[in-house]
Amino acid sequence: MIATRPNATGSPGYSETLPCEAESASQARLLVSAALHTWQLSHLIDDGQLIVSELVANAVQHSHCHSVRVSVERPAGGRVRVAVSDKSRTKPAAATPNTDEEAGRGLLLVDSVADNWGVDYRAWGKVVWADLRTEGSA
Protein backbone atom coordinates (compact mmCIF):
# COMPACT_ATOMS: atom_id res chain seq x y z
CA MET A 1 0.00 0.00 0.00
CA ILE A 2 1.12 3.57 -0.63
CA ALA A 3 2.59 5.33 2.40
CA THR A 4 0.92 8.71 2.38
CA ARG A 5 -1.38 10.53 4.75
CA PRO A 6 -3.66 12.72 2.66
CA ASN A 7 -5.75 15.34 4.45
CA ALA A 8 -9.46 15.58 3.76
CA THR A 9 -10.56 18.82 2.03
CA GLY A 10 -14.34 18.60 1.80
CA SER A 11 -16.13 17.46 -1.37
CA PRO A 12 -14.31 14.30 -1.47
CA GLY A 13 -10.74 15.27 -1.82
CA TYR A 14 -7.25 15.25 -0.45
CA SER A 15 -4.64 17.96 -0.11
CA GLU A 16 -1.16 18.45 1.19
CA THR A 17 1.18 21.42 1.55
CA LEU A 18 4.66 20.64 0.28
CA PRO A 19 7.94 22.54 0.05
CA CYS A 20 8.37 24.38 -3.23
CA GLU A 21 11.18 22.13 -4.46
CA ALA A 22 11.56 19.57 -7.23
CA GLU A 23 11.58 16.65 -4.78
CA SER A 24 7.98 17.47 -3.80
CA ALA A 25 6.72 16.10 -7.14
CA SER A 26 7.31 12.59 -5.80
CA GLN A 27 5.12 13.20 -2.73
CA ALA A 28 2.49 14.85 -4.95
CA ARG A 29 2.39 11.74 -7.17
CA LEU A 30 1.85 9.59 -4.06
CA LEU A 31 -1.05 11.81 -2.99
CA VAL A 32 -2.70 11.53 -6.41
CA SER A 33 -2.19 7.77 -6.49
CA ALA A 34 -3.61 7.30 -2.97
CA ALA A 35 -6.71 9.37 -3.76
CA LEU A 36 -7.40 7.62 -7.06
CA HIS A 37 -6.91 4.17 -5.49
CA THR A 38 -9.31 5.14 -2.70
CA TRP A 39 -11.93 6.23 -5.23
CA GLN A 40 -11.37 3.08 -7.32
CA LEU A 41 -10.17 5.15 -10.26
CA SER A 42 -6.84 3.41 -10.78
CA HIS A 43 -7.15 3.82 -14.56
CA LEU A 44 -6.51 7.57 -14.05
CA ILE A 45 -3.33 7.22 -11.98
CA ASP A 46 -0.80 7.58 -14.82
CA ASP A 47 -2.46 10.70 -16.22
CA GLY A 48 -3.04 12.17 -12.76
CA GLN A 49 0.59 11.63 -11.77
CA LEU A 50 1.85 13.16 -15.02
CA ILE A 51 -0.35 16.22 -14.49
CA VAL A 52 0.66 16.79 -10.88
CA SER A 53 4.35 16.30 -11.72
CA GLU A 54 4.19 18.96 -14.42
CA LEU A 55 2.18 21.41 -12.31
CA VAL A 56 4.54 21.05 -9.35
CA ALA A 57 7.56 21.45 -11.65
CA ASN A 58 6.07 24.66 -13.08
CA ALA A 59 5.37 26.05 -9.61
CA VAL A 60 8.91 25.23 -8.47
CA GLN A 61 10.48 26.80 -11.55
CA HIS A 62 8.34 29.91 -11.86
CA SER A 63 6.71 30.83 -8.54
CA HIS A 64 9.75 31.27 -6.25
CA CYS A 65 7.47 30.44 -3.30
CA HIS A 66 8.28 28.57 -0.09
CA SER A 67 5.50 26.01 -0.45
CA VAL A 68 2.84 24.69 -2.82
CA ARG A 69 -0.53 23.16 -2.04
CA VAL A 70 -1.46 20.04 -3.99
CA SER A 71 -5.07 18.91 -4.08
CA VAL A 72 -7.03 16.10 -5.67
CA GLU A 73 -10.80 16.52 -5.61
CA ARG A 74 -13.96 14.98 -7.01
CA PRO A 75 -16.23 17.89 -7.87
CA ALA A 76 -19.59 17.11 -9.45
CA GLY A 77 -19.76 16.07 -13.06
CA GLY A 78 -17.86 12.77 -13.24
CA ARG A 79 -14.40 14.27 -13.02
CA VAL A 80 -11.30 14.43 -10.88
CA ARG A 81 -9.51 17.75 -10.45
CA VAL A 82 -5.76 17.81 -9.78
CA ALA A 83 -4.53 21.24 -8.70
CA VAL A 84 -1.40 22.99 -7.50
CA SER A 85 -1.62 26.33 -5.68
CA ASP A 86 1.20 28.79 -5.20
CA LYS A 87 1.55 32.41 -4.12
CA SER A 88 2.68 33.72 -7.49
CA ARG A 89 0.22 35.54 -9.74
CA THR A 90 2.34 34.96 -12.83
CA LYS A 91 0.20 33.55 -15.63
CA PRO A 92 1.28 30.08 -16.77
CA ALA A 93 1.59 29.74 -20.52
CA ALA A 94 2.14 26.73 -22.73
CA ALA A 95 5.43 27.14 -24.56
CA THR A 96 6.38 25.92 -28.00
CA PRO A 97 9.93 24.66 -27.49
CA ASN A 98 12.28 23.73 -30.30
CA THR A 99 12.67 20.01 -30.88
CA ASP A 100 16.17 20.03 -29.39
CA GLU A 101 15.11 21.75 -26.14
CA GLU A 102 14.76 19.51 -23.09
CA ALA A 103 12.27 21.64 -21.14
CA GLY A 104 9.16 23.69 -21.80
CA ARG A 105 6.61 20.97 -22.61
CA GLY A 106 4.87 20.71 -19.23
CA LEU A 107 1.64 22.49 -20.02
CA LEU A 108 1.55 20.93 -23.49
CA LEU A 109 1.61 17.53 -21.76
CA VAL A 110 -1.08 18.60 -19.31
CA ASP A 111 -3.22 19.83 -22.21
CA SER A 112 -2.78 16.54 -24.06
CA VAL A 113 -3.95 14.29 -21.20
CA ALA A 114 -6.44 16.49 -19.32
CA ASP A 115 -10.05 16.91 -20.33
CA ASN A 116 -9.72 20.58 -19.41
CA TRP A 117 -7.27 22.78 -17.51
CA GLY A 118 -7.06 26.34 -16.35
CA VAL A 119 -5.98 28.88 -13.76
CA ASP A 120 -7.99 30.47 -10.97
CA TYR A 121 -6.44 33.64 -9.57
CA ARG A 122 -6.76 34.50 -5.90
CA ALA A 123 -5.70 37.55 -3.89
CA TRP A 124 -2.78 35.48 -2.53
CA GLY A 125 -1.72 33.80 -5.81
CA LYS A 126 -3.18 31.21 -8.15
CA VAL A 127 -4.48 27.66 -8.51
CA VAL A 128 -3.52 25.79 -11.68
CA TRP A 129 -5.85 22.85 -12.19
CA ALA A 130 -6.55 20.05 -14.64
CA ASP A 131 -9.62 17.82 -14.89
CA LEU A 132 -9.80 14.16 -15.82
CA ARG A 133 -13.07 12.44 -16.73
CA THR A 134 -13.85 9.53 -14.42
CA GLU A 135 -15.93 7.57 -16.91
CA GLY A 136 -15.31 6.50 -20.46
CA SER A 137 -11.73 5.25 -19.97
CA ALA A 138 -10.41 1.99 -18.71
Side-chain angles (χ1 to χ4, degrees):
M1 192 66 198
I2 296 172
T4 188
R5 293 176 292 147
N7 301 314
T9 62
S11 66
Y14 299 93
S15 69
E16 192 168 345
T17 300
L18 302 170
C20 191
E21 55 191 39
E23 294 77 15
S24 291
S26 175
Q27 187 64 30
R29 287 189 297 273
L30 289 174
L31 179 74
V32 168
S33 179
L36 294 173
H37 272 297
T38 299
W39 297 328
Q40 298 178 2
L41 296 170
S42 298
H43 63 282
L44 297 176
I45 289 174
D46 289 343
D47 288 346
Q49 287 183 331
L50 173 66
I51 288 168
V52 81
S53 293
E54 296 301 336
L55 296 183
V56 167
N58 280 349
V60 168
Q61 183 176 2
H62 301 291
S63 76
H64 309 292
C65 293
H66 296 290
S67 63
V68 294
R69 183 105 179 137
V70 176
S71 63
V72 188
E73 299 176 341
R74 289 196 67 187
R79 59 195 164 101
V80 169
R81 176 164 286 183
V82 177
V84 174
S85 306
D86 63 55
K87 292 188 178 179
S88 169
R89 293 188 46 81
T90 302
K91 181 180 180 178
T96 309
N98 294 326
T99 56
D100 58 342
E101 290 182 87
E102 292 183 20
R105 292 173 178 77
L107 289 177
L108 294 174
L109 289 170
V110 170
D111 188 57
S112 72
V113 298
D115 186 48
N116 193 19
W117 74 274
V119 183
D120 295 333
Y121 291 97
R122 306 284 191 255
W124 47 261
K126 68 180 175 301
V127 180
V128 183
W129 53 267
D131 289 343
L132 294 168
R133 277 188 288 221
T134 59
E135 64 270 342
S137 351

